[in-house]
Amino acid sequence: MGELNRRRFLERMTALTATAIATPSTLGAISDARAATGRVGELHLPPAGRPQPADLTELTLAEAARLLRDGDVGAVELVEAYLARIGRWDPRYQAFNTVVSQAALEAARTADRTRGRAPLTGVPLAIKDNYFTAGVRTTANSFIFEDFVPDFDATSWARLRDAGAILLGKTQMGPLATTAASTPTGERTTVNAWAPHHDSVSPGGSSSGSATAVAARMAASSTGTQTGGSITNPSNAQALTGIKPTMGRVSLHGILPLTYTRDHPGPLARDAVDAALMLQVMAGPDPADPRSLGLPPVPDYLAAVSRDGGALTHPDRGGAVRIGVLPGFLDEPEPPEDPAPAPDPDVDRIGSSFPRRERSQAAYRREVATAEARRRMLATLEEMGAEIVELDFPTHWEALTSFNFNNVRLPERSEIFLEHLRDDVRKFGVSLAPWVNGLLLPAAEYVRGSRARLVLLEEVLDEVFGRCDLVTQTAPYPFDMVGLPLIGFPIGFETGSTGYPRPIGGMFGAEPYAEHHLLAVIAAYQRATDWHLRRPADPGELRPAEGDGDAPGDGSGGRSRSPGRYDLFDVMERGE
């Protein structure tokens, strides 16, 4: 079955690339069709694993769904608990750009009154602001859509809604899904829930608000989109479990697009069980999105993450799960060449967060801690029965995953927004450059890059997944480029880079349509570890930073950031 799925997926991605070239992907076409969503049947929620916490916002999604179903908690009670946290702490976190308090409470009253049997009845969610939500603004944090109110729901949100979920609000994001969350002109908004007084710590982007809302216990779970790491990166940054499914597994209908061949919707959740529950509802064919049609049936993700699911046994061939480790994954970083160079005033003057010497030292300490966390993670999985397989890179890996080839996605982005580029480029604000670059890339380069991507996909399927079932990743873009599933999850914490706890994340990739396998392995890992159970302290329990954003001991030397804007260094280091 695995080999058959690999061949089918290669053929599908070849056809998808041709479709992107031949068929206009205009924004106007997105509102022409209505998707048939239907209702999700009753799901078998995993059994409770711990006593009910006193604070309802501590409940996982699956725990909340179970308590609501059994009548042990009321929907109004749960929604009020989340709205109270939003009201108290979101002025600091800035995870939301729209909160629909009254509508959420009314939906909760209806849920309590009708006692619906849908699996997510009464569960409050946060939805990224590029998902259409009927009657609620959908802005993508951009000037282009600042007044846009859709008249229908994105298919994936409609499925969550039909499963009983309640919309708390729309989350902040990078303008048009680029970089971490900011205003269209580049002023920073969302902070990392683990460092709410330190804006030098990225929340991850572009699904920044979705990640912070869940990590800060202002929503039970959330949705994101990924074109260049925008689900797995914020999940890694904030100790969440986020999954980017295979291209087409979740419908993109009703989501403001970036590229036809690389956009992926998916959940950001507190653990693998919650991610499985969200994906179970979101996934499936949609007549309004041809990318979602003709795929293998959606598997039972919740069965995959159950305690008796045989997580470290391959679901098809049996035997131990083989986890491939690519070169460099466990390498220790090289110490900075000059441990204490004099600060460069020219570098500082154009907007670095703190002097270059401190940047390099902080990055080095974090990389050391990351390498150690990766070793521990693989050792734990090996103790649980996994087989660790050392791999070589595919034949043309370095060339085919290069910046130049990755940038061939940009013309797709420009084509979709061509009307707006002709109208007024100022509407693109701080994120204009990628759209202009897409206009300037020669057609021959786009075609060449599209062919290269198919070569990369074939090499990954044959040379990587011919030898292993899951593979370690240090960056999301290779798997984003070729449409394969990817999961981000917490594997540790470190304090050496900043002086306060920061999550360390891991990423695994898998074969096409193997989301259930990713979720099963990570659920088993999370039963053996507690990184996913840790929660950040509330902002009131933490000491605010001195100045505008950097605390003593974080490597800043007392110097504050540039005044609340993304600068040249941020774009280089954190751009999606």
Side-chain angles (χ1 to χ4, degrees):
M1 180 60 73
E3 176 63 26
L4 180 60
N5 281 343
R6 289 198 289 269
R7 293 302 98 198
R8 283 179 176 173
F9 187 72
L10 181 59
E11 294 169 2
R12 170 173 287 273
M13 290 301 288
T14 302
L16 188 64
T17 299
T19 302
I21 296 173
T23 305
S25 303
T26 59
L27 285 172
I30 203 167
S31 62
D32 291 341
R34 295 293 189 275
T37 58
R39 288 194 172 272
V40 177
E42 185 172 352
L43 301 179
H44 298 290
L45 298 172
R50 60 174 182 164
Q52 178 179 328
D55 183 347
L56 294 180
T57 65
E58 291 279 1
L59 293 167
T60 67
L61 176 74
E63 289 170 340
R66 188 186 311 104
L67 291 171
L68 286 160
R69 180 197 63 191
D70 296 343
D72 296 325
V73 168
V76 169
E77 183 183 10
L78 186 59
V79 168
E80 285 179 340
Y82 279 111
L83 290 176
R85 281 194 65 81
I86 293 170
R88 183 173 185 186
W89 297 122
D90 199 49
R92 162 55 57 183
Y93 290 123
Q94 296 187 69
F96 291 88
N97 58 24
T98 300
V99 178
V100 289
S101 305
Q102 294 306 312
L105 285 169
E106 183 55 40
R109 294 186 191 102
T110 300
D112 282 342
R113 187 167 56 249
T114 60
R115 289 292 178 189
R117 299 299 296 174
L120 297 181
T121 297
V123 177
L125 301 180
I127 301 299
K128 188 174 179 178
D129 199 29
N130 56 350
Y131 284 66
F132 283 26
T133 44
V136 179
R137 279 199 323 153
T138 299
T139 72
N141 255 11
S142 71
F143 290 132
I144 295 173
F145 302 104
E146 59 186 342
D147 297 317
F148 175 54
V149 179
D151 61 358
F152 70 98
D153 290 317
T155 299
S156 50
W157 160 239
R159 287 175 172 164
L160 292 165
R161 179 206 66 208
D162 287 351
I166 293 174
L167 176 67
L168 285 173
K170 307 297 287 293
T171 57
Q172 293 276 24
M173 55 182 284
L176 296 171
T178 56
T179 74
S182 76
T183 66
T185 56
E187 289 82 10
R188 293 185 179 90
T189 56
T190 310
V191 298
N192 189 309
W194 291 89
H197 300 296
H198 304 263
D199 64 5
S200 60
V201 179
S202 173
S206 65
S207 305
S208 311
S210 291
T212 298
V214 178
R217 306 197 326 274
M218 296 188 295
S221 273
S222 63
T223 64
T225 55
Q226 178 154 327
T227 305
S230 295
I231 290 173
T232 51
N233 284 349
S235 294
N236 280 176
Q238 304 208 47
L240 301 177
T241 301
I243 187 164
K244 176 193 81 76
T246 310
M247 166 60 68
R249 181 53 89 190
V250 177
S251 172
L252 281 155
H253 178 66
I255 296 175
L256 291 169
L258 267 184
T259 68
Y260 188 78
T261 61
R262 298 198 191 188
D263 291 353
H264 302 77
L268 292 89
R270 296 185 190 175
D271 57 30
V273 173
D274 284 5
L277 178 53
M278 288 281 286
L279 189 60
Q280 194 78 65
V281 177
M282 296 171 71
D286 174 13
D289 183 0
R291 290 162 290 198
S292 70
L293 303 178
L295 276 60
V298 176
D300 190 337
Y301 298 125
L302 286 173
V305 297
S306 68
R307 290 185 181 275
D308 299 323
L312 296 187
T313 301
H314 193 279
D316 298 324
R317 63 169 176 78
V321 169
R322 299 169 302 171
I323 298 176
V325 180
L326 290 170
F329 182 72
L330 297 175
D331 287 357
E332 287 279 357
E334 291 291 332
E337 291 184 10
D338 182 357
D344 185 335
D346 290 330
V347 170
D348 295 339
R349 177 177 55 79
I350 62 174
S352 71
S353 301
F354 45 86
R356 182 172 53 187
R357 172 178 59 84
E358 301 295 351
R359 270 180 183 260
S360 62
Q361 289 292 323
Y364 171 69
R365 290 190 291 269
R366 183 161 176 81
E367 288 170 9
V368 169
T370 298
E372 176 57 29
R374 289 172 177 170
R375 282 192 290 270
R376 288 197 309 266
M377 178 264 294
L378 289 177
T380 298
L381 289 169
E382 191 169 27
E383 290 172 3
M384 296 167 62
E387 178 186 352
I388 306 301
V389 180
E390 292 188 9
L391 302 176
D392 294 322
F393 285 123
T395 307
H396 301 99
W397 178 267
E398 184 174 354
L400 296 176
T401 60
S402 68
F403 183 80
N404 288 337
F405 275 129
N406 193 30
N407 263 354
V408 300
R409 73 196 187 282
L410 298 180
E412 289 186 41
R413 180 181 300 190
S414 300
E415 186 269 334
I416 295 169
F417 284 85
L418 193 57
E419 177 184 342
H420 298 281
L421 287 165
R422 289 169 174 163
D423 178 45
D424 187 352
V425 295
R426 293 173 297 180
K427 291 182 179 179
F428 289 82
V430 72
S431 61
L432 173 63
W435 276 267
V436 174
N437 289 341
L439 288 174
L440 299 177
L441 193 76
E445 287 298 306
Y446 175 71
V447 173
R448 181 169 175 257
S450 298
R451 289 173 180 159
R453 180 176 59 182
L454 295 175
V455 173
L456 173 62
L457 173 59
E458 187 166 21
E459 290 188 358
V460 169
L461 294 177
D462 291 342
E463 299 180 33
V464 173
F465 290 117
R467 296 193 57 205
C468 69
D469 308 309
L470 309 181
V471 64
T472 59
Q473 290 290 282
T474 58
Y477 57 84
F479 275 53
D480 291 342
M481 292 168 69
V482 296
L484 295 176
L486 190 69
I487 194 167
F489 58 100
I491 63 172
F493 285 79
E494 58 88 16
T495 58
S497 67
T498 56
Y500 49 85
R502 287 183 63 186
I504 298 173
M507 279 189 284
F508 283 173
E511 299 179 271
Y513 317 118
E515 295 84 6
H516 61 302
H517 200 189
L518 284 172
L519 289 162
V521 170
I522 303 311
Y525 174 74
Q526 290 177 345
R527 288 194 290 272
T529 59
D530 69 351
W531 308 119
H532 64 292
L533 298 176
R534 303 188 185 191
R535 304 285 181 258
D538 291 338
E541 300 173 22
L542 300 170
R543 181 161 58 98
E546 294 184 0
D548 291 331
D550 291 310
D554 67 355
S556 71
R559 183 181 182 278
S560 65
R561 292 187 62 82
S562 55
R565 290 183 58 83
Y566 282 107
D567 53 37
L568 172 63
F569 286 86
D570 296 314
V571 172
M572 290 168 60
E573 293 179 359
R574 299 174 187 161
E576 299 307 300

